[in-house]
Amino acid sequence: MARRRKVDVITLGCSKNLVDSERLLKMLHDVGMQVRHDPSPEDEDSSPADIVIINTCGFIGDAKEESVNTILRYARKRTEGTLSRLYVMGCLSQRYQKELPAEIPEVDKWYGKTDWSGIVRDLTREFPATASYDRLITTPRHHAYLKISEGCNRFCAFCAIPLITGRHHSRPAGEIIDEVKMLVDRGVKEFNVIAQDLSSYGTDIKGNGGLASLVASISEVPGVEWIRLHYAYPAQFPMDVLSVMAERQNVCKYIDIALQHASDKMLSAMRRNITRDRTERLLSDIRSTVPDIHIRTTMMTGFPGETDKDFKELMEFVGQQKFERLGAFAYSEEEDTFAAKNYSDSVPEHLKRERLDLLMALQEEISMNHQTEKVGRILKVMVDREEEDYFIGRTQWDSPEVDPEVLIRKSAGLTPGHFAEVKITEALPFELIGEKSDRND
């Protein structure tokens, strides 16, 4: 019998990239390949792959640097002869498909962001009869990411995503529900719904329904226990999804909505199509419609033209809104974006970082206050894994990888992949500590 060729798929960047890798893994598996995802260095050394496929990120400078460094590391292995093939796909490859082949000739072939079938055909001369949404889950089997659309029509001044992914296009609701049912059958209980722009879901498909209709339909699938929404856009936010969130027990009281800034001058320069006043009214409506909701947002420091006054306004806004979850990053100029073509990158790098540090220090105080309010409460927690001293879990307000975790003191009756009632006994800025509750309900 011929030896099955071993393929390692390396994923860089966001959860949307991870879903793409999972689909590629399924296709490769279905045509007879032996596949691994993100193997450890020890596994790579003890059982090297014949072929490596790198799924790259090209969003901001740091991510691009990580992608290039990863490609170069495997390019050395290709030169040394320990790899028979090295392929690169994803956002970086999509964006620089003309420049990269000349700079890194060790790569055998470069592919676009979603050319999974092209990779499979080139490797095997076959094309699998896999459903377009089928994939091999690489996350713990009880939770998965659910990508409902691709692309973006917003064209914010700083963002290269539309240049990489193209225009926004939604997946049909029926196909998404079929995927949810398939994943539930495989043990998935928690669905983290993702897209570049959740707010636009369904607007491009006549009769498909929007985000609220889709979330309601997902919530009705037996076995779906948590649904969490990521990456909404504040302008044209689909307000009807809030009533679904408020009414459905399995829709987490959580929304990830990137705001980027609070100064009207900055919001206009960023081409965000919203003002501070409209943002504040939106946030007020969200909180009044869904009590106890946790809002996650993202802010940017150092955008071209940001003055001390603009940054002060951002700090005041964050201090007033007291977001439960907030991440931030310093502006990084991306070629071919509106900002790169029209603005001078005028804020010194050290000042961008100083402002970023000040903003995150403020958020740490806010986060600590929110965490402290949970002490004494009994919360429903998904147990993710077991470590030496604790079980590690998350509440409905905690998305995997990016949000706080709950450290649960060792106790009988806790099992990863299942829910537990946990009494919170201690709070840290980005962690909660608790113990299994004796409450039976």
Side-chain angles (χ1 to χ4, degrees), residues 15-16 18-19 135 139-140 142-148 179-180 183 188-195 198 218 224 226-231 250 252 254 256 382 384 394-403:
S15 54
K16 295 179 285 294
L18 182 65
V19 171
R135 51 196 170 110
T139 53
H142 56 275
H143 72 80
Y145 295 101
L146 182 68
K147 183 159 66 167
I148 64 171
E179 180 178 358
V180 169
L183 292 172
V188 176
K189 302 175 182 180
E190 174 186 349
F191 290 84
N192 293 290
V193 179
I194 57 173
L198 282 185
I218 296 171
V224 173
W226 270 358
I227 303 165
R228 194 178 289 106
L229 304 180
H230 300 75
Y231 321 126
N250 59 353
C252 296
Y254 178 105
D256 188 329
M382 168 60 78
D384 279 333
R394 292 172 292 107
T395 72
Q396 65 167 320
W397 305 303
D398 304 314
S399 190
E401 306 294 334
V402 296
D403 288 328

Side-chain angles (χ1 to χ4, degrees), residues 34-217:
Q34 184 180 349
V35 294
R36 294 187 302 191
H37 183 253
D38 284 351
S40 68
E42 294 76 17
D43 288 340
E44 285 186 343
D45 292 339
S46 62
S47 180
D50 306 298
I51 301 157
V52 167
I53 303 168
I54 303 172
N55 189 0
T56 56
C57 179
F59 177 45
I60 58 175
D62 289 347
K64 290 191 288 188
E65 183 178 0
E66 181 188 19
S67 291
V68 169
N69 289 339
T70 302
I71 296 168
L72 292 174
R73 178 161 67 90
Y74 285 99
R76 287 191 291 270
K77 294 188 177 187
R78 182 71 176 96
T79 300
E80 294 163 358
T82 56
L83 281 180
S84 64
R85 292 287 186 274
L86 174 59
Y87 295 148
V88 177
M89 61 177 287
C91 294
L92 188 81
S93 183
Q94 176 86 32
R95 191 174 182 195
Y96 301 106
Q97 51 191 310
K98 293 181 179 178
E99 297 88 346
L100 285 170
E103 294 186 15
I104 314 178
E106 296 88 349
V107 174
D108 291 282
K109 193 164 183 180
W110 303 81
Y111 298 84
K113 188 178 187 312
T114 58
D115 191 13
W116 315 304
S117 58
I119 296 174
V120 175
R121 282 196 302 267
D122 287 346
L123 279 176
T124 67
R125 308 299 178 194
E126 297 182 50
F127 186 71
T130 303
S132 61
Y133 51 79
D134 204 357
R135 51 196 170 110
L136 292 183
I137 298 298
T138 60
T139 53
R141 69 187 297 265
H142 56 275
H143 72 80
Y145 295 101
L146 182 68
K147 183 159 66 167
I148 64 171
S149 66
E150 189 71 81
C152 183
N153 294 346
R154 303 291 185 170
F155 292 97
C156 300
F158 54 84
C159 185
I161 285 178
L163 305 176
I164 300 169
T165 62
R167 306 287 286 187
H168 173 267
H169 56 276
S170 305
R171 293 177 59 201
E175 179 184 284
I176 295 170
I177 297 303
D178 286 344
E179 180 178 358
V180 169
K181 291 176 179 177
M182 174 195 73
L183 292 172
V184 167
D185 287 343
R186 296 178 186 176
V188 176
K189 302 175 182 180
E190 174 186 349
F191 290 84
N192 293 290
V193 179
I194 57 173
Q196 275 87 13
D197 174 15
L198 282 185
S199 298
S200 295
Y201 175 76
T203 58
D204 54 324
I205 302 179
K206 187 176 181 180
N208 184 78
L211 183 64
S213 174
L214 177 67
V215 173
S217 295

Side-chain angles (χ1 to χ4, degrees), residues 7-8 19 44 64 196 271 301 367-368 394 440:
V7 182
D8 285 349
V19 171
E44 285 186 343
K64 290 191 288 188
Q196 275 87 13
R271 306 175 85 193
T301 63
S367 179
M368 186 65 211
R394 292 172 292 107
N440 295 310

